[in-house]
C-alpha cells in the first residue's frame, strides 16, 4: 500500500468488526487504482480473521463515494496509456466480486453522494444503510461511458424496468427511492450512523438485519417519487428498443416523462446504445460474467470520442455542454 493509499483508506478491527473508512474527502472519495487495491488487500487479509461483520463508511458527510476517478482515466486515454486504465478497471471489478462473495456480512453506511464506483463498493454487499442525506445514481451515460462496476448485473435485477430507467437516465435517488428500489436495505438517521459499528460489536451473535433494525429511524420509503410513477416507468422503459422507449415517453406526455426524455436527450447516444444492450442481457449472466463483459467494453469506450468529450464537459472544463457524436437509430438521429 502506498503512503497516499494508506492515508486515503483507514482500516482497523474493533471488537470483532472490521472497519474501512474512505478518506479522500476533497475528491468526494473518488476511487483511484491505489485506493481500490488497498481496500481489496485489507479485505483479503481479513478473510480468515473471524470477524462478525465489515463496515464500509466515509470520513466525509458529503459523500460515501462519488465514483471512480474518471478524470484520471481520461488522462490515461489521451496519453495512450491503455495499461493504466486496464489496471484501474480490472482492480475495481475484482474488488466488486470480492465484496459480493465475502464470507462475512459487509455493511455499507451511505451518507451523502454514492455514485458509480460507490455503488460498486456498496450494492454487492448484503447491507446498504442510507441516511436522509443519501443520493445514489449511475450517471455514466451523461459522460459518454456506461453503468459498470457490475451494474449490468444488479440493475436488471431491480423490480420491473427500474434498472433500465436508472441506467439510461442517471436519475438521482434519494433515501426513499433507494429503499423502494432495493438498492438500500436499511435507513438510519445520519446522527445515528456512528452507533452502527458499536452495535454490531455488541451483538456479534445476532443477525445483522436485526441489529440494523434496532437502530433504524422511521423509514422514508413511503415518500418515494419513483413509486408514484412506477406504472409509467415500467411501460416506457420496458420497451424493447431505445426508439420505442422514446416513443412511449412522448405518448405519456407527463412531467416525469418530459424529465426522462430530457435526460436521454442530454446523454451520449453511443452510451445509451451500449447501456441498453448491456442491461437487456444482464439478467441472464452471473456477476463475474457481467464484470467480464464490462471490462472488455471499457477497453474501447475509454478511447471513444464521446467519453473523452463527456468527461471534459463534466469534470475538466465543467461547461456541461458536451458535443456528442450523433448516432442514428432506424434511419433517424437517436432520440431526436
Amino acid at each position: 500500500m502506498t503512503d497516499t493509499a494508506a492515508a486515503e483508506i483507514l482500516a482497523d478491527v474493533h471488537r470483532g468488526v472490521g472497519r474501512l473508512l474512505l478518506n479522500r474527502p476533497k475528491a468526494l472519495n473518488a476511487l483511484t487504482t491505489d485506493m481500490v487495491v488497498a481496500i481489496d488487500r485489507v479485505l483479503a487479509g481479513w478473510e480468515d480473521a473471524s470477524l462478525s461483520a465489515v463496515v464500509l463508511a466515509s470520513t466525509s458527510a458529503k459523500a460515501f463515494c462519488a465514483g471512480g476517478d474518471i478524470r484520471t482515466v481520461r488522462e490515461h486515454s489521451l496519453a495512450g496509456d491503455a495499461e493504466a486504465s486496464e489496471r484501474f478497471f480490472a482492480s475495481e471489478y475484482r474488488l466488486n466480486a470480492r465484496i459480493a462473495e465475502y464470507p462475512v456480512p459487509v455493511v455499507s453506511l451511505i451518507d451523502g453522494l454514492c455514485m458509480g464506483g460507490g455503488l460498486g463498493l456498496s450494492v454487492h454487499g448484503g447491507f446498504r444503510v442510507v441516511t436522509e442525506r443519501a443520493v445514489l445514481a449511475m450517471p455514466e451515460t451523461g459522460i459518454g461511458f456506461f453503468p459498470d462496476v457490475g451494474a449490468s448485473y444488479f440493475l436488471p435485477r431491480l423490480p420491473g424496468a427500474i434498472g433500465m430507467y436508472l441506467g439510461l437516465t442517471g436519475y438521482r435517488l434519494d433515501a426513499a427511492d433507494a429503499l423502494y428500489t432495493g438498492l438500500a436495505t436499511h435507513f438510519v438517521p445520519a446522527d445515528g450512523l456512528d452507533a452502527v459499528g458499536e452495535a454490531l460489536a455488541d451483538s456479534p451473535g445476532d443477525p445483522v438485519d436485526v441489529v440494523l433494525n434496532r437502530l433504524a429511524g422511521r423509514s422514508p420509503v413511503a415518500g418515494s417519487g419513483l413509486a408514484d410513477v412506477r406504472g409509467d416507468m415500467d411501460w416506457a422503459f420496458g420497451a424493447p428498443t431505445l426508439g420505442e422507449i422514446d416513443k412511449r415517453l412522448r405518448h405519456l406526455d407527463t412531467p416525469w416523462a418530459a424529465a426522462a426524455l430530457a435526460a436521454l436527450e442530454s446523454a451520449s447516444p453511443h452510451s445509451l446504445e451500449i447501456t441498453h444492450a448491456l442491461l437487456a442481457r444482464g439478467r441472464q449472466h452471473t456477476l463475474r460474467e457481467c464484470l467480464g463483459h464490462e471490462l472488455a467494453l471499457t477497453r474501447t469506450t475509454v478511447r471513444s470520442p464521446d467519453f473523452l468529450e463527456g468527461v471534459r464537459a463534466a469534470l475538466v472544463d465543467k461547461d456541461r455542454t458536451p458535443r456528442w457524436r450523433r448516432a442514428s437509430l432506424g434511419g433517424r438521429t437517436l432520440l431526436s
Side-chain angles (χ1 to χ4, degrees):
M1 192 187 301
T2 65
D3 290 343
T4 303
E8 292 173 345
I9 301 297
L10 308 178
D12 71 354
V13 175
H14 176 67
R15 297 167 58 211
V17 175
R19 300 186 297 189
L20 269 165
L21 285 176
L22 304 176
N23 186 39
R24 196 185 176 210
K26 285 184 180 173
L28 301 178
N29 293 328
L31 296 169
T32 63
T33 303
D34 282 351
M35 288 171 72
V36 168
V37 170
I39 297 168
D40 195 52
R41 201 168 288 162
V42 170
L43 288 176
W46 283 349
E47 283 195 355
D48 300 319
S50 300
L51 302 178
S52 59
V54 169
V55 173
L56 195 52
S58 162
T59 59
S60 165
K62 286 186 179 177
F64 171 74
C65 171
D69 193 344
I70 293 295
R71 187 172 170 166
T72 298
V73 172
R74 179 181 185 269
E75 289 168 7
H76 293 324
S77 294
L78 290 172
D81 192 351
E83 193 180 320
S85 295
E86 177 89 7
R87 192 161 58 246
F88 171 70
F89 290 113
S91 300
E92 187 179 28
Y93 300 172
R94 187 162 53 244
L95 173 59
N96 299 149
R98 185 186 296 281
I99 291 170
E101 297 163 4
Y102 209 61
V104 301
V106 177
V107 182
S108 293
L109 307 182
I110 301 170
D111 188 26
L113 288 176
C114 179
M115 298 189 177
L119 278 166
L121 286 181
S122 55
V123 81
H124 298 299
F127 302 93
R128 287 90 61 188
V129 178
V130 289
T131 73
E132 67 276 11
R133 299 186 296 216
V135 178
L136 284 68
M138 293 299 291
E140 289 78 9
T141 60
I143 57 165
F145 199 55
F146 61 90
D148 65 330
V149 295
S152 59
Y153 177 82
F154 67 78
L155 287 180
R157 285 166 173 77
L158 297 182
I162 290 173
M164 187 64 78
Y165 168 68
L166 298 180
L168 291 176
T169 66
Y171 173 82
R172 293 185 170 205
L173 304 91
D174 60 14
D177 290 332
L179 290 158
Y180 173 72
T181 60
L183 286 172
T185 59
H186 295 78
F187 175 78
V188 172
D191 60 10
L193 219 50
D194 289 343
V196 172
E198 293 296 335
L200 290 168
D202 287 341
S203 309
D206 290 354
V208 172
D209 186 55
V210 171
V211 176
L212 293 176
N213 282 334
R214 285 188 202 126
L215 300 171
R218 182 179 172 82
S219 173
V221 70
S224 168
L226 291 185
D228 293 340
V229 294
R230 177 66 189 283
D232 286 351
M233 185 194 308
D234 283 354
W235 179 66
F237 284 85
T241 64
L242 283 169
E244 185 62 22
I245 290 173
D246 180 49
K247 196 180 299 180
R248 291 184 186 186
L249 287 171
R250 293 181 192 283
H251 177 79
L252 284 169
D253 193 24
T254 63
W256 170 79
L261 272 171
L264 293 176
E265 287 168 348
S266 68
S268 154
H270 182 237
S271 290
L272 293 176
E273 290 184 336
I274 293 173
T275 299
H276 188 269
L278 200 60
L279 299 185
R281 68 166 182 259
R283 203 181 300 210
Q284 64 204 47
H285 295 294
T286 65
L287 172 59
R288 282 192 174 271
E289 287 170 342
C290 286
L291 289 168
H293 296 150
E294 291 171 12
L295 185 59
L297 258 180
T298 64
R299 293 175 188 136
T300 52
T301 307
V302 298
R303 298 199 309 271
S304 69
D306 272 11
F307 176 76
L308 299 176
E309 171 64 6
V311 179
R312 178 207 65 75
L315 301 173
V316 181
D317 300 334
K318 300 183 180 178
D319 57 33
R320 304 280 170 187
T321 53
R323 292 176 292 278
W324 305 123
R325 296 280 179 96
R326 303 307 294 175
S328 66
L329 188 73
R332 67 187 182 91
T333 304
L334 181 61
L335 299 171
S336 66

